Structure formats: C-alpha cells, structure tokens
Amino acid sequence: MNENTLETVNKRPRLSPQPTFAPWIPAPESAIADASLFWLPVSGFPLRYAERQWLLLFLERFSAALTQSGKLRCEHFMQQNEIRGPLHHSYHQYKERCVIYPGLGRSMSGGTTLFPPDGAPATQPEENEKHGERIGQSLLWFANKQPIPQRELFAGYGGFIALFLPPDPKPKVRPPNMAISPALRAAHPAFQRFDVEQIVSGTAARLDAFLDRSKTLFGSDLAHRAELRRMDFVLPLLDSATVFGASPEERSLYFELFDVYVGESRKDKGVVLLFQKPEYEQVMLDVVATMPPAEEPVRR
C-alpha cells in the first residue's frame, strides 16, 4: 500500500459521533485512526452459557450480513493449544467429517493493551519462551464450509478466529462427482464413519489462493525455517496490544489478506473485532440493533 493510499485510509470518514455498538466497546478514533477496533468483554474462557449464546447469535447474523452479497466469504480457524478439556473429544469426532489444514499464528507486534479489564495495569508483551525460540502458535483451518457446526463446537473456548476474505480469485476446481448408492453407503464402514464427500471437497480447498498469500505477507522472514514448510498458511494473531502497537503500514498488511477479523483473545479477556472499510461499521450497527441485550460479564 503506497503513502497516498495510506493517507486516504487514515482520513476515512467515521459514522456519527455516538453510535451504539454496545456491548462491543470501540477503540477511540484518537487511538487508532486508520481502522475500527472493537472489544467484547467476557467473564473468562470458556464462556458462560449466556455469553456464548449471545456470541454465537452475533456471529451468525454478522456473518450473514457480510457474506450475503457474495463479496466476502468466511473462514474459520482454531488455536490448537485451546483444544483441550471438553473440546478434545468433540474435535476428534469432528475431524472425521472435515478436512483440517495446519498453519501458524504469529503475534506480529504489540505494546500495551488498549482495553485493560477492570482497570488492571496494561499488559506488556510476553517474554520469549525459556525453552527455546518459538516462531508462533499452531493454528487449524476448517476447510469445509460448515459454519454453524464449527461455531457451535469451537467458539467460546478462547481460540476461535473468523476471517472474512474476498472470494478466491482462482478458478474453482470441481471435486469429482461421487455417485454413492444408498446401499453402498449403508454397507461400507468408511461411509458410516467418514463424510467422504466433505473430505473430497475439503481436499480441493487446499488450492485456495489465500494460503500462499498469507505465507507471503506474514511468513516471508521464515522461509528458511523447516516449520514453515509443514504449514499451509500463516496468520497474525491479533489482540488489542498488537493492533494498537502496530504502525499504519503494519496494519495495512492485515487488510491485504482479509477484510474483517473476529478473534477470541485471552490477553484481552474478550473478543476483538477489526476492520478498515467504513461501510462495515454500519453493518455492525445494524446487526447489534437486532441483538437481545447481552448479559453483563461476571469478572472471575
């Protein structure tokens, strides 16, 4: 992105001075002028039942509003280290019905958190791992388009990420037509255990252009690392400290890959939502206006 484009983005018009995004808390324009950053406070992870139901409903309506025109599509990711406890069994059952690709999540930069909960001191970047250099955290991409089951299974546990990206510019590779008779499906154990059609379509998704694009944008400095060769994609892991501490040029890289980022953040004790285009503020306002009141988070 050149300097003229950045200057235009930095001067982008905002909506009315007092839009009602509640329960989402917007970052003040004086703190970040070239993008819109929001925080949804929660009581902790995993979310309490009422908090999780509200978040699932918001994600359903927000996703529908953003994708209905066909100009954006939604992709779901999960931080692998959050798949534990009650999620462990659910994940291993689900992966038999979905193609899942490994990737890398990186904390690109960061300073003090913009939304310290309960007036607590702002957090500083974590120290490097004592047991050796880490280049990031393991991420999983759910390649099959099953948004409702994926949100219901994985949202609310501290590691769920939804990215809204433009459609894949590459021509679609049509998976082979699998004419499986009801008799064969009933008789063969593989068809009873696995969703073969979903596996075939998910395998074709590995050609999606955003995978290589993400590695170019966020992993070019790791080209010499063996770990990167085992990863299909690289994404920034965003929290308020990372977004707030980044330069406009660094933030502009986010939006070369995706238009909207929604991610659970343990550092922020909540969910962060980030976008750059002003029209998404109106989409968000319209969706929030349809939502039932959110329950006040209970601080743990």
Side-chain angles (χ1 to χ4, degrees):
M1 186 176 286
N2 59 42
E3 293 182 1
N4 291 335
T5 305
L6 276 174
E7 184 177 358
T8 300
V9 169
N10 289 340
K11 294 181 179 179
R12 67 199 190 99
R14 291 283 181 140
L15 295 179
S16 59
Q18 296 180 328
T20 302
F21 295 102
W24 292 91
I25 300 173
E29 187 176 354
S30 59
I32 176 171
D34 59 304
S36 294
L37 174 65
F38 296 84
W39 173 57
L40 178 68
V42 301
S43 59
F45 293 105
L47 300 185
R48 294 163 55 245
Y49 178 81
E51 291 175 326
R52 189 166 182 270
Q53 293 305 115
W54 194 95
L55 178 61
L56 288 173
L57 183 59
F58 174 84
L59 289 173
E60 177 184 346
R61 294 180 179 180
F62 189 56
S63 180
L66 288 175
T67 60
Q68 63 183 353
S69 68
K71 295 180 180 179
L72 292 178
R73 38 84 179 241
C74 184
E75 303 293 346
H76 289 161
F77 305 82
M78 187 71 185
Q79 296 183 44
Q80 191 168 10
N81 64 348
E82 297 293 349
I83 299 176
R84 54 191 174 185
L87 269 188
H88 187 264
H89 180 69
S90 299
Y91 168 73
H92 284 280
Q93 279 194 320
Y94 181 65
K95 74 177 184 178
E96 296 180 351
R97 298 183 284 121
C98 180
V99 175
I100 300 172
Y101 292 117
L104 186 69
R106 303 186 72 189
S107 297
M108 309 302 294
S109 63
T112 59
T113 183
L114 191 59
F115 303 108
D118 292 336
T123 57
Q124 299 295 330
E126 295 180 355
E127 296 181 2
N128 293 333
E129 296 286 340
K130 303 297 183 181
H131 50 76
E133 181 188 7
R134 291 175 61 93
I135 62 173
Q137 298 184 29
S138 296
L139 286 182
L140 302 171
W141 172 44
F142 302 111
N144 294 104
K145 309 310 177 214
Q146 300 171 336
I148 293 176
Q150 288 162 10
R151 288 193 297 261
E152 290 181 346
L153 281 172
F154 302 108
Y157 291 90
F160 186 75
I161 298 170
L163 295 187
F164 294 86
L165 307 92
D168 185 2
K170 289 184 179 180
K172 294 297 181 186
V173 177
R174 297 180 65 88
N177 183 24
M178 301 187 66
I180 304 170
S181 68
L184 177 59
R185 189 181 298 277
H188 200 290
F191 294 115
Q192 298 173 27
R193 181 177 178 185
F194 301 101
D195 191 332
V196 178
E197 292 94 335
Q198 287 289 342
I199 291 174
V200 171
S201 64
T203 301
R206 196 170 193 176
L207 300 175
D208 198 304
F210 95 85
L211 298 171
D212 286 341
R213 179 63 173 156
S214 72
K215 294 172 79 171
T216 299
L217 288 170
F218 305 111
S220 59
D221 61 317
L222 303 176
H224 64 290
R225 299 289 294 259
E227 298 99 313
L228 191 64
R229 291 193 291 272
R230 298 194 296 268
M231 302 297 176
D232 288 298
F233 61 91
V234 180
L235 297 182
L237 291 178
L238 301 183
D239 52 59
S240 64
T242 297
V243 176
F244 187 53
S247 67
E249 291 79 11
E250 289 171 329
R251 283 192 292 267
S252 72
L253 292 179
Y254 308 154
F255 304 110
E256 290 189 30
L257 182 67
F258 53 79
D259 276 36
V260 182
Y261 178 103
V262 185
E264 296 171 352
S265 167
R266 286 189 180 272
K267 290 181 180 180
D268 289 304
K269 204 173 182 182
V271 183
V272 295
L273 192 159
L274 178 73
F275 53 79
Q276 188 176 64
K277 295 180 180 178
E279 57 262 36
Y280 297 145
E281 286 189 343
Q282 189 60 57
V283 173
M284 190 173 175
L285 280 171
D286 291 344
V287 171
V288 168
T290 71
M291 294 292 296
E295 183 177 291
E296 183 70 19
V298 174
R299 301 300 183 187
R300 292 180 178 174

